[in-house]
Amino acid sequence: QGPISGVNREIPVLQCHGDCDPLVPLMFGSLTVEKLKSLINPANVTFRTYSGMMHSSCIEEMMDVKQFIDKHLPPID
């Protein structure tokens, strides 16, 4: 498939991956982020890796997700 057009091309994406994930190797995360960058505005794609993280989450990742949400979604009253 070709690039996404219109307003959806500008959607911000945060992709997170542990560098020790035994289920989904980091290489697949890297390939996925490159595919995303070919479909939407690559400037809007952020790929974060976390040292020592397996197929799970960590506090650093959760803080990055919170910052991403705070930046891109309007506050709830």
Side-chain angles (χ1 to χ4, degrees):
Q1 290 182 344
I4 295 169
S5 62
V7 69
N8 290 330
R9 181 164 168 70
E10 298 304 320
I11 191 166
V13 174
L14 171 63
Q15 181 182 340
C16 302
H17 206 102
D19 68 355
C20 293
D21 189 332
L23 245 55
V24 182
L26 183 57
M27 178 187 73
F28 292 147
S30 298
L31 292 170
T32 301
V33 81
E34 291 309 312
K35 180 64 176 177
L36 277 170
K37 286 180 177 181
S38 75
L39 296 173
I40 64 174
N41 182 348
N44 292 341
V45 179
T46 302
F47 184 56
R48 299 246 191 265
T49 60
Y50 302 90
S51 179
M53 190 172 85
M54 299 181 78
H55 194 74
S56 61
S57 62
C58 65
I59 192 69
E60 183 183 3
E61 179 189 26
M62 292 298 100
M63 294 305 297
D64 288 342
V65 170
K66 181 185 180 319
Q67 288 176 349
F68 180 83
I69 290 169
D70 289 345
K71 179 178 179 181
H72 295 288
L73 295 177
I76 298 173
D77 291 334

